[in-house]
Amino acid sequence: MKFNVRDLVYIAIFGALWGLLEITVGSYLHVLFPPLADTFLVGIIMGSLGILTSLVGRRFVPKAGAVFMMAVIAMLLKGLSLGGVTLGPMLAILIEGFLMELGLLAWHGKSPWAFAFAGALAVSWNFFHKFLMMRLLYGSGIVEVALKMAKDGARLLGMDPSAVALILGVLFIVRFVVGAAAGWVAWGIGHAVAGRRAQRYHAEDPAS
Amino acid sequence: MTQAIARRRQDWHPDTWGYLAFLAWTLVLVAVLPPARLAWLLGSVLAFAGIWRRQALLLLTRRRTWITFGLILLLSGLTLGARDIGWGWFRLSSEGLTAGVFMLVRGVSILLAFSATIGALSVARLSAVFERLGLKGLGFAFGVAVNLSVTLQDIVLVTYHTLRQRGAFRLTRRLFSNLRLFLLGVFTNALRHGDEVVLAASARAFDPDRPADAPIPLTAGDIVLIVLLLAVLVLLLL
């Protein structure tokens, strides 16, 4: 897909906003919520914020590949972060960008449903990300990670830890729903921002 | 004669590929190196910056950098693990402090590597690198993102304080509508700045479709550095 100068600048802006969120809010959340950092809360908050930002940007660059480029920029900026091992969040950002593109492609990207689906796909990745990172960095097996995730989830949701499948299912569905909501909100905010800009240009140039 | 000597010196100085290899090397080692060996990584990064890119070390002379480091250590000591050391009522966790030190060593290594690489490469060169990798326009976009980061931070802060002074973030029924207003303000102002950048780029006749002017050379300095980095990588991982 070909991007003109305006597209590239808008991609830079929304990618930078996403990256700044990751560097500031993300790093603080990882320090403030260490026990929950790897399983649920931080991932869901940062995933939703990133998706909200990039999908608002997609409203202004309605071309395939735009969200992925924003993700690459956010990922590169995250590399500047002072946090510990940034490889995990960097990989998550990249995969979220890729999944959003897939979701938008599947729904042809021009409706709130497409945004909601893209958001749901992207935040859902957080669920699988844990398995991938634990395997990559620490060599942990799938069962081991699933049990730890279920134990943490049971504590968070106030459920019986023996209901592993149910807990994992709830954790996945919550992510899916939050992602879809973030996508839906992004569509509305993008629409409102476009309306504001149209008003401003109309006020600056009443002849148009 | 002087020019010939200068050119020969230039040949032995790492260029684009050398700096990029150094950055990738640092990121890989930060991710895979056990904590006990992180000091070696920091030492190697400091040595590299000292030899080839002293400007990157200026980062360590800023007071703000050290205040940030101190805050990270303090937060880690306060929030991670049981608080087992301290003086009177002020107690910190030794486990948290250790984790904070490792976090700092990783952070400083990455910061120095990025600072050295970004400082050495112009936006045009970065743009050319991404173009070689098949990602047209990404170099320009990344350059704009880095340069606009401070402005965007200011936009977020100004919008936040403007709304906060009007009581927008109080826990009332209008909180969500005020949060939406905050996002609208941030995005609209960010796009307004973006329009100015577009005008500036257009005035300079920037064309993302135009191919990079010259190929990126692989200098003797690059090759020496890459071999050196590989050797240190093997030594640190053994």
Side-chain angles (χ1 to χ4, degrees), chain A residues 3 5-6 8-10 12-14 16 20 31 34 52 72-73 76 79-80 82 84-85 87 189 192-193 197 200-201, chain B residues 31 68 72 79-80 103 106 110 114 137-138 141-142 144-145 149 152 180 183-184 187 190-192 194-195 206 208:
Chain A
F3 295 108
V5 178
R6 187 172 295 275
L8 290 173
V9 171
Y10 287 176
I13 283 176
F14 287 96
L20 287 175
V31 172
L52 183 78
V72 173
I73 288 171
L76 289 170
L80 292 164
L82 252 187
V85 181
L87 187 72
I189 288 178
V193 174
R197 281 166 61 79
R200 182 176 155 245
Y201 286 123
Chain B
T68 313
I72 288 173
T79 56
L80 303 175
M103 201 190 284
R106 288 190 186 103
I110 293 176
F114 258 102
L138 190 61
F142 181 59
V144 172
S149 293
L152 291 174
R180 186 174 175 275
L183 290 175
L184 280 182
F187 291 137
L191 284 168
R192 191 170 54 78
D195 290 337
F206 174 78

Side-chain angles (χ1 to χ4, degrees), chain A residues 5-153:
Chain A
V5 178
R6 187 172 295 275
D7 294 337
L8 290 173
V9 171
Y10 287 176
I11 285 170
I13 283 176
F14 287 96
L17 280 172
W18 186 358
L20 287 175
L21 274 172
E22 287 284 347
I23 290 172
T24 53
V25 184
S27 300
Y28 277 111
L29 284 179
H30 275 293
V31 172
L32 289 176
F33 299 104
L36 301 172
D38 291 331
T39 52
F40 194 69
L41 203 63
V42 179
I44 224 169
I45 294 173
M46 292 319 299
S48 312
L49 288 175
I51 279 148
L52 183 78
T53 309
S54 55
L55 286 177
V56 170
R58 177 60 158 71
R59 191 79 172 65
F60 295 92
V61 191
K63 291 177 180 173
V67 172
F68 185 68
M69 275 181 73
M70 286 173 210
V72 173
I73 288 171
M75 181 200 75
L76 289 170
L77 288 175
K78 178 68 184 173
L80 292 164
S81 163
L82 252 187
V85 181
T86 51
L87 187 72
M90 284 168 79
L91 198 62
I93 292 169
L94 200 67
I95 295 174
E96 280 169 7
F98 178 71
L99 287 173
M100 271 191 276
E101 280 297 343
L102 274 187
L104 290 167
L105 270 176
W107 283 72
H108 303 293
K110 281 182 183 166
S111 72
W113 292 106
F115 274 42
F117 182 61
L121 268 188
V123 179
S124 301
W125 168 254
N126 279 325
F127 183 82
F128 304 102
H129 184 72
K130 177 82 179 166
F131 290 90
L132 178 76
M133 288 316 294
M134 293 300 280
R135 181 83 212 157
L136 273 181
L137 293 181
Y138 306 107
S140 310
I142 290 175
V143 178
E144 204 180 319
V145 180
L147 287 175
K148 188 185 178 309
M149 200 188 266
K151 211 173 84 183
D152 290 346

